[in-house]
Amino acid sequence: MARANDQVAALLQEYADLLLISGGDPFRARNYEKAAKSVAGYGHDVAGLGEAQLRRIPGVGASIAAKIAQFQRTGTIAELDELRAAIPDGVREMTTIPALGPKRAAQLYHELGIASIDELAEAVEQGRLRGLRGFGARSEERLRHGIALARSLGQRVPIHVADETAQRVVAAVGQAPGCGRCEPAGSLRRFRDTIGDVDVLAAAADSAALMDALVSLPGVTEVIARGDAKTSVRIGTGHPAQGGSIQVDLRVVPAECWGAALQYFTGSQAHNVAVREIAVRRRLKLSEYGLFDAETGDLIVSRTEEEVYARLGMDWVPPPMREDSGEVQAALRHEIPRLVQERDIRGDLHTHTTLSDGVGTLEEMVAAGRARGYEYLAVTDHAPNLFMQRMTFEKMLEQRERLRALERRLASDGGRPMTLLHGTELNIAPDGTVDWPADILAGFDICVASVHSHFDQPRAEMTRRFLRACENPGVHVIGHPLARRIGSRPPVDVDLAEVFRACAATGTALEINSHPERLDLPSEHIRAAAEAGVRFAIDTDSHATGNLAFLRYGIGTAQRGWLTPDLVINTWPAGRLREFLRKGG
Ligand code: DGT
Ligand code: CA
Ligand code: CA
Ligand code: ZN
């Protein structure tokens, strides 16, 4: 569900940003922004709704409903396309810089003619921003920092942006006449946290209809190259990274070579090089067309990936593991682990509701969890020290009563009962303490504790801060451990080996936060944590019902870290989970 909601919300948000950049009415922009939030959090799929039904969504009036309907009919919004055409891509890209945003990006564009991140960097270095209304010495420093971060994303986009584009391409190309299988390959299939371009592979005898489907897809802004075997286009994403669009490469192969081609175009390049060496040693030759006898040139296999790997004496390698980091050797020894899968997850342990900054009510979030077949769900609204959330002890207790009553209703309404855990997301203060004293913490079923402030503490202090949180018997999970925001906030500086040791020793789990702009703990640290004896919680940190589906990105991240289900506490039955949450106490 709700993919359509996210897509529409992104378009409305983009419309609001572009309105501001083009000097439009800020009040109107604000309305679009509100509507975007409200559509994102709306409990029903907007895909099938007519204009009258759309207007029932809070904040959606006649003109916004008309635009959504137009998008659903035609795949585009004419007024949005006009705005997109009128504003340079570089200016839209500037809005990704933390500490800038659309309003100030517009100011720089209109007052100084700055139209790209590079031009902005130059202007900062030349001191040209000095004296500009609203830009002091401190904001210059923040801008410098923000530019470096925006550049760290480079020519890449967060995974969900690429994933949504890929799914639209697969849906359209897959329906073209003569199309057999059609699937994403490349870094997207490997669940890297950021994606350079989208690779889609399709099987067909004749590619013309498939290539037609791609170039005529709504949102295509440029056809880079069109051929029989490969066509490349750029498609608008509604996300400012890369100036608002992403390259898509569609390759069409005969069905007989599907397996070899999928293996080749999934990569990574380093994995492919290592696999080809295995082939050479066996006097075979591996290419995107198949596995061949090196001497005779005879085709041996190419139809499925499994056949290709098997003929090389290897286990099939799950795509997220294909980074040449030991998986080739493991596959040769037939020691590829059984990785955690989305269907292993029995519940989400980090979710928010309207009681703090979520947009779904307690009842809506629970219903959405139940619709996913969860056996349990933890509700973990923010604790009081995140002051803007205005949480109080009384509000928290009231929610607990409501949650218990809801759990009783679920047990008696004839449907499948569900265990509801009452939790909170605590804030780890600079000294490692958290919001509430031990006796209040003891009243929760589960506490996630996260760093939400003082991100740039020195390493030794930051490490002590984490260790103290782990040692707290009331803290069960460290939320989004590195507190990074992909493309906008760097990871905190902390001695991870120490943190892993403390987690293992105290029975504190580390979160793998599935939000696509977090993906934290990042995959590159997961194997080391697992080897140190750490347990994990793969959570979504959902702020809306539709966010529960972010789980797939957390699972992909966990698979990149070779995690097996047994190390993931929310694959466990409720009884075993509760045992873990007692922290040995
Ligand atoms: P990205 O797009 O930067 O996020 O990363 P990938 O891995 O999707 O890279 P991409 O799009 O350049 O190529 C897709 C896959 O195709 C790549 O993972 C492996 C394969 N491939 C492409 N070019 C080459 C090449 O020159 N040599 C080899 N061995 N493989 C290649
Ligand atoms: Ca790619
Ligand atoms: Ca590519
Ligand atoms: Zn948080």
Side-chain angles (χ1 to χ4, degrees):
M1 195 188 78
R3 293 212 155 260
N5 296 34
D6 289 339
Q7 203 179 1
V8 168
L11 289 170
L12 296 176
Q13 180 64 49
E14 184 185 5
Y15 194 81
D17 291 350
L18 295 184
L19 269 180
L20 280 179
I21 296 174
S22 64
D25 177 6
F27 183 72
R28 223 179 127 222
R30 181 91 194 100
N31 282 342
Y32 276 87
E33 197 169 329
K34 276 192 202 148
K37 290 219 167 71
S38 161
V39 167
Y42 194 56
H44 304 277
D45 196 336
V46 297
L49 303 185
E51 276 185 55
Q53 293 160 307
L54 287 168
R55 288 181 61 179
R56 285 195 210 121
I57 304 174
V60 175
S63 86
I64 297 182
K67 286 195 182 63
I68 300 176
Q70 188 191 7
F71 169 69
Q72 289 172 343
R73 260 193 331 272
T74 66
T76 185
I77 301 172
E79 281 175 77
L80 177 60
D81 287 343
E82 275 165 36
L83 278 175
R84 281 173 174 167
I87 294 162
D89 287 353
V91 176
R92 292 164 68 194
E93 203 163 4
M94 276 160 55
T95 64
T96 61
I97 298 173
L100 200 57
K103 234 191 226 148
R104 281 152 58 94
Q107 187 190 356
L108 292 170
Y109 175 50
H110 292 297
E111 293 182 23
L112 297 178
I114 295 171
S116 72
I117 292 182
D118 286 343
E119 288 175 23
L120 175 61
E122 204 181 304
V124 171
E125 291 326 310
Q126 293 168 345
R128 282 171 57 210
L129 268 46
R130 276 175 216 151
L132 200 62
R133 183 172 37 83
F135 286 85
R138 266 206 60 196
S139 76
E140 196 169 286
E141 200 36 55
R142 293 210 339 255
L143 265 181
R144 234 186 231 115
H145 189 60
I147 290 168
L149 279 165
R151 283 180 166 164
S152 74
L153 192 56
Q155 287 303 306
R156 309 185 68 79
V157 303
I159 187 170
H160 65 307
V161 177
D163 192 24
E164 270 152 29
T165 303
Q167 293 197 18
R168 286 179 53 218
V169 170
V170 167
V173 173
Q175 279 170 18
C179 186
R181 299 183 71 164
C182 181
E183 287 172 26
S187 52
L188 186 57
R189 185 164 181 242
R190 304 198 314 277
F191 280 89
R192 274 196 64 172
D193 52 13
T194 62
I195 305 296
D197 68 9
V198 171
D199 301 283
V200 173
L201 186 69
D206 179 356
S207 67
L210 282 64
M211 300 309 190
D212 283 342
L214 177 65
V215 299
S216 58
L217 194 71
V220 169
T221 56
E222 186 190 346
V223 177
I224 300 165
R226 178 174 173 152
D228 289 338
K230 176 180 173 186
T231 292
S232 297
V233 300
R234 291 195 73 85
I235 298 185
T237 56
H239 189 280
Q242 283 197 19
S245 67
I246 188 168
Q247 180 171 332
V248 176
D249 294 338
L250 171 63
R251 292 180 181 86
V252 181
V253 299
E256 307 84 75
C257 331
W258 174 262
L262 185 61
Q263 198 284 326
Y264 182 87
F265 292 114
T266 296
S268 66
Q269 196 160 326
H271 173 83
N272 288 356
V273 168
V275 173
R276 270 204 307 264
E277 277 170 17
I278 306 292
V280 170
R281 270 192 253 150
R282 294 175 181 247
R283 299 179 192 287
L284 302 169
K285 182 177 167 293
L286 179 62
S287 75
E288 62 264 52
Y289 305 106
L291 187 60
F292 299 89
D293 184 310
E295 268 144 47
T296 64
D298 290 345
L299 175 67
I300 299 172
V301 286
S302 61
R303 194 164 270 279
T304 69
E305 274 194 337
E306 286 79 356
E307 284 173 338
V308 171
Y309 281 107
R311 186 62 183 73
L312 293 170
M314 301 169 71
D315 284 352
W316 178 79
V317 182
M321 292 178 73
R322 299 183 193 175
E323 298 291 350
D324 192 26
S325 54
E327 79 283 2
V328 172
Q329 294 72 16
L332 283 167
R333 290 196 305 265
H334 302 293
E335 285 172 3
I336 291 288
R338 157 45 173 106
L339 301 181
V340 61
Q341 318 274 332
E342 203 170 346
R343 63 170 182 277
D344 294 326
I345 297 295
R346 295 181 195 242
D348 205 315
L349 301 180
H350 184 173
T351 67
H352 297 270
T353 75
T354 46
L355 188 65
S356 60
D357 54 352
V359 294
T361 63
L362 172 66
E363 289 74 13
E364 286 167 343
M365 293 302 288
V366 168
R370 208 178 186 208
R372 289 180 63 89
Y374 285 159
E375 292 174 30
Y376 45 80
L377 185 82
V379 174
T380 56
D381 275 311
H382 289 287
N385 292 353
L386 205 61
F387 298 112
M388 65 255 198
Q389 306 299 341
R390 299 163 200 267
M391 184 59 63
T392 64
F393 181 66
E394 291 71 27
K395 286 207 271 188
M396 181 277 288
L397 282 185
E398 241 173 76
Q399 183 188 52
R400 184 172 297 164
E401 286 317 306
R402 237 173 98 192
L403 177 128
R404 302 279 188 240
L406 180 56
E407 188 181 39
R408 283 193 295 274
R409 275 208 304 285
L410 293 180
S412 62
D413 75 354
R416 205 170 34 75
M418 191 172 166
T419 299
L420 299 184
L421 301 172
H422 192 239
T424 185
E425 183 180 12
L426 301 163
N427 305 286
I428 308 177
D431 65 358
T433 57
V434 297
D435 309 59
W436 271 311
D439 57 329
I440 296 182
L441 294 187
F444 286 104
D445 300 316
I446 180 168
C447 295
V448 176
S450 315
V451 165
H452 287 134
S453 68
H454 302 83
F455 301 107
D456 36 20
Q457 262 182 327
R459 187 177 174 91
E461 273 173 44
M462 187 63 86
T463 305
R464 275 200 298 281
R465 180 180 186 182
F466 274 89
L467 262 45
R468 190 161 178 195
C470 290
E471 282 153 13
N472 189 327
V475 169
H476 305 107
V477 179
I478 304 293
H480 44 76
L482 296 191
R484 71 164 177 174
R485 284 282 191 171
I486 292 172
S488 64
R489 190 196 298 140
V492 296
D493 186 13
V494 63
D495 184 340
L496 279 177
E498 284 285 323
V499 173
F500 297 161
R501 255 197 299 280
C503 285
T506 58
T508 311
L510 281 182
E511 181 173 76
I512 296 176
N513 188 297
S514 308
H515 192 289
E517 299 196 357
R518 289 195 183 272
L519 299 176
D520 183 11
L521 192 65
S523 61
E524 59 267 31
H525 301 299
I526 293 175
R527 280 168 80 186
E531 271 156 35
V534 173
R535 297 291 179 270
F536 301 85
I538 306 177
D539 295 330
T540 61
D541 197 353
S542 282
H543 285 70
T545 53
N547 294 166
L548 291 173
F550 285 155
L551 185 70
R552 62 194 246 96
Y553 306 122
I555 292 288
T557 301
Q559 293 182 341
R560 289 177 66 79
W562 295 33
L563 277 196
T564 54
D566 199 49
L567 298 185
V568 179
I569 63 173
N570 52 327
T571 68
W572 298 349
R576 184 172 173 205
L577 174 65
R578 282 201 192 274
E579 184 69 27
F580 180 86
L581 298 177
R582 275 199 285 277
K583 252 189 145 172

